[in-house]
Amino acid sequence: TQLLEQSPQFLSIQEGENLTVYCNSSSVFSSLQWYRQEPGEGPVLLVTVVTGGEVKKLKRLTFQFGDARKDSSLHITAAQPGDTGLYLCAGGDYKLSFGAGTTVTVRA
Amino acid sequence: SAVISQKPSRDICQRGTSLTIQCQVDSQVTMMFWYRQQPGQSLTLIATANQGSEATYESGFVIDKFPISRPNLTFSTLTVSNMSPEDSSIYLCSVLQGFDEAFFGQGTRLTVV
């Protein structure tokens, strides 16, 4: 099983601030995914990064895949209360490994 | 993207009883996955269910405790048997698009009392 470590475990910030979540592994992944989960719902796929060094933007969210394809980051600019949720990174083929998750709370 | 309907969304059960969770997908898929998640925590894979064959269980999970059915390519059930309070958790079914992008049902929040 390929392990993914996420940090930090918890983040609480004020609306309008920026935040970054990290996902690291000692293993090389062919791709990594980021999911967001809100209470009472299943995780929802945000993005897949495939190429080492790749940067993808989804509105105020920026995702980066490390050059060596062992790590990824999620950066949120000008966070809003709607960004509150559990953020999970995942990787692997067919049988995915999930990070422990980062609980993000954006205060209005 | 696949649309997955999972039910029940939540239940409170007595210890020693069993609960069957249903998962319906709007398209045919080869593999379906069942996960367990403690609130606010990550996902742990219970088993992979393929149509026409027995499910493949991960370490720490056994068929007697978590029997799975997969009668066709759009449906699966997970039963949590002889429940104890330690089984209180969120149970999620999932399918893949391609080999790495997962889509999930809304989850079943189980409380065992």
Side-chain angles (χ1 to χ4, degrees):
Chain A
T1 302
Q2 298 170 298
L3 295 177
L4 287 165
E5 296 182 352
Q6 275 187 250
S7 62
Q9 186 176 1
F10 298 98
L11 259 181
S12 180
I13 61 171
Q14 200 69 32
E15 181 176 5
E17 295 181 338
N18 302 331
L19 68 95
T20 302
V21 178
Y22 300 93
C23 177
N24 296 288
S25 177
S26 58
S27 303
V28 175
F29 285 88
S30 57
S31 66
L32 282 179
Q33 296 80 44
W34 284 93
Y35 298 81
R36 179 171 65 211
Q37 184 178 23
E38 298 182 19
E41 300 292 332
V44 174
L45 178 66
L46 295 175
V47 79
T48 298
V49 286
V50 178
T51 306
E54 180 178 10
V55 176
K56 281 191 173 179
K57 292 195 174 184
L58 185 65
K59 296 183 180 178
R60 294 176 293 100
L61 279 61
T62 301
F63 304 85
Q64 188 161 9
F65 201 11
D67 291 340
R69 291 186 287 127
K70 293 182 178 182
D71 58 272
S72 181
S73 64
L74 157 61
H75 182 80
I76 301 179
T77 303
Q80 299 177 0
D83 296 323
T84 293
L86 176 67
Y87 288 82
L88 296 158
C89 66
D93 295 341
Y94 296 106
K95 196 159 69 173
L96 300 182
S97 298
F98 284 83
T102 297
T103 298
V104 172
T105 303
V106 182
R107 305 184 305 274
Chain B
S1 63
V3 176
I4 303 172
S5 299
Q6 188 175 335
K7 59 181 182 181
S9 58
R10 58 176 60 228
D11 208 341
I12 301 173
C13 300
Q14 295 290 323
R15 67 177 66 199
T17 63
S18 298
L19 175 71
T20 295
I21 302 168
Q22 298 181 7
C23 183
Q24 179 76 51
V25 188
D26 68 343
S27 58
Q28 294 184 340
V29 293
T30 304
M31 292 186 287
M32 295 179 73
F33 304 85
W34 287 98
Y35 290 88
R36 186 169 70 184
Q37 181 184 32
Q38 296 293 329
Q41 296 187 22
S42 190
L43 282 66
T44 301
L45 182 63
I46 297 171
T48 303
N50 294 310
Q51 193 266 337
S53 63
E54 280 201 2
T56 303
Y57 289 83
E58 297 301 305
S59 176
F61 299 96
V62 295
I63 187 171
D64 290 346
K65 177 67 176 177
F66 298 100
I68 289 172
S69 76
R70 185 77 202 277
N72 57 53
L73 291 173
T74 64
F75 187 79
S76 179
T77 67
L78 169 76
T79 298
V80 187
S81 303
N82 188 25
M83 288 183 285
S84 66
E86 292 70 36
D87 295 319
S88 297
S89 192
I90 300 167
Y91 293 85
L92 294 152
C93 67
S94 171
V95 302
L96 289 181
Q97 176 172 282
F99 59 86
D100 60 359
E101 295 186 342
F103 293 88
F104 292 87
Q106 72 269 37
T108 297
R109 181 180 290 267
L110 171 63
T111 303
V112 184
V113 297

